[in-house]
Amino acid sequence: MQNNQEDEIQTTSHQPHDHDVNDNDWSNYKDSDVMQQHSAILEQDAAKFPFVGDKEPLSSLANEYKSGSPILLEKIEVLSKEYAGIRRTRGDGNCFFRSFMFSYLEHIIESQDKAEVERIKTSVEKCRKTLQSLGYADFTFEDFFSLFIEQLESVLQGNEDSISHDELIVRSRDQSVSDYGYYAVVMFFRFVTSGEIKKRSEFFEPFILGLSNTTVEQFCKTSVEPMGEESDHVHITALSDALGVPIRVVYLDRSSCDNGSVSVNHHDFVPVSDDTPNDKTSGSGSETNPFIVLLYRPGHYDILYKK
């Protein structure tokens, strides 16, 4: 899978920008001071953008790069043949989990797929038992699991607490809801991801060593469970496998094809089943059609909508 995280893409004010260090006299600052100042600036910029934005036409993405790399505009043109819209999420380090969460709940509210809800409830119960078997105390994760089930049941119509699609969007942006309910659901996904990685540590260990040169335990403690930590293919694989939900990630970067043509790479994360060996590899997308499609630009995930 190509992440191409080294690619740097210039964006507009939709997402946080790096600030020009010349705006400040850094000569008297230590490296730690500079990093702290930079992090504070990014956090302030991120807070100006809603947790989940409006659904926009894909042309709005092209507008970001009018004065940027021509290859990105060409790739967006390729994307427009299959995708109609984009929904942006706040660039605060939780964008993958938040994009997954909103896209999944949106799918359920539109499809009213009760069988899928029952299936994922079964998966959630397995995840709960996994954490218990790993030695997690119930009180450390139980509230997060309960909040996810509540959110899930609220998007099924016919219940006393059912919500509409518009209410789902409002909830996703409400500061009081996001600070607790949506914080809790993001933490639910982080615990599920951590539990899956630890449960299958032998499978994930080589990838983790390649990413961070740390142990599985340390990786989960520092890069999975804390809020605001960015996600990579290890997180996505683990979450997809744990919940049984396929995820397609489309990559928008400045890489070019060997034959000179312009194409857009994507990778489908296909869930491993209980009877599938741990050494499985994710599919290329030829036999899957995930309903969750995320757009990845180095360091950030948004939601894509098919035509």
Side-chain angles (χ1 to χ4, degrees), residues 3 5 27 30 36 43 62-63 76 105 115 163 170 181 183 188 208 266 271 277 304:
N3 266 1
Q5 290 191 10
S27 58
K30 298 178 182 177
Q36 185 176 3
E43 185 176 342
N63 290 335
I76 293 170
L105 292 177
I163 63 173
V170 170
Y183 167 90
F188 160 76
I208 289 172
H266 77 264
L304 275 180

Side-chain angles (χ1 to χ4, degrees), residues 2 4 26 49 61 68 74 89 105 134 140 143-144 162 187-188 208 238:
Q2 294 181 333
N4 298 306
W26 296 115
F49 189 82
L61 187 61
E74 293 182 61
T89 59
L105 292 177
L134 290 168
T140 61
D143 285 351
F144 304 141
S162 296
M187 280 305 303
F188 160 76
I208 289 172

Side-chain angles (χ1 to χ4, degrees), residues 128-256:
R128 177 185 279 110
K129 291 179 180 178
T130 292
L131 290 175
Q132 290 170 336
S133 70
L134 290 168
Y136 285 79
D138 286 358
F139 72 84
T140 61
F141 65 84
E142 192 61 41
D143 285 351
F144 304 141
F145 275 56
S146 297
L147 257 296
F148 174 71
I149 296 298
E150 286 182 23
Q151 296 283 354
L152 191 60
E153 292 178 342
S154 73
V155 294
L156 282 178
Q157 301 307 297
N159 301 320
E160 182 179 344
D161 299 323
S162 296
I163 63 173
S164 66
H165 186 275
D166 287 344
E167 288 172 315
L168 175 63
I169 295 174
V170 170
R171 278 192 180 189
S172 72
R173 296 174 180 171
D174 187 293
Q175 190 70 29
S176 61
V177 173
S178 295
D179 280 352
Y180 178 61
Y182 275 80
Y183 167 90
V185 177
V186 169
M187 280 305 303
F188 160 76
F189 289 131
R190 287 189 176 277
F191 270 107
V192 165
T193 301
S194 183
E196 184 70 13
I197 291 172
K198 290 180 180 179
K199 183 179 75 172
R200 297 166 53 216
S201 59
E202 290 185 3
F203 169 72
F204 284 106
E205 186 175 31
F207 301 102
I208 289 172
L209 285 173
L211 277 175
S212 60
N213 196 30
T214 61
T215 65
V216 169
E217 187 75 26
Q218 186 67 17
F219 179 78
C220 290
K221 182 178 180 180
T222 61
S223 301
V224 181
E225 294 178 9
M227 288 288 282
E229 290 296 320
E230 294 184 0
S231 302
D232 209 307
H233 67 277
V234 169
H235 303 70
I236 304 173
T237 300
L239 184 65
S240 173
D241 288 351
L243 295 181
V245 179
I247 304 168
R248 173 169 295 179
V249 178
V250 179
Y251 301 95
L252 182 61
D253 53 47
R254 292 186 293 196
S255 62
S256 57

Side-chain angles (χ1 to χ4, degrees), residues 104-120 152 155-157 291:
Y104 185 83
L105 292 177
E106 186 177 46
H107 170 74
I108 298 301
I109 206 169
E110 292 176 350
S111 68
Q112 292 298 297
D113 189 343
K114 295 182 179 180
E116 167 61 16
V117 171
E118 290 306 312
R119 185 205 63 77
I120 203 168
L152 191 60
V155 294
L156 282 178
Q157 301 307 297
F291 58 80

Side-chain angles (χ1 to χ4, degrees), residues 19-43:
H19 284 237
D20 189 349
V21 294
N22 293 326
D23 291 343
N24 299 276
D25 179 8
W26 296 115
S27 58
N28 296 321
Y29 280 65
K30 298 178 182 177
D31 287 347
S32 58
D33 294 328
V34 174
M35 292 177 64
Q36 185 176 3
Q37 176 80 3
H38 182 66
S39 297
I41 290 171
L42 292 180
E43 185 176 342

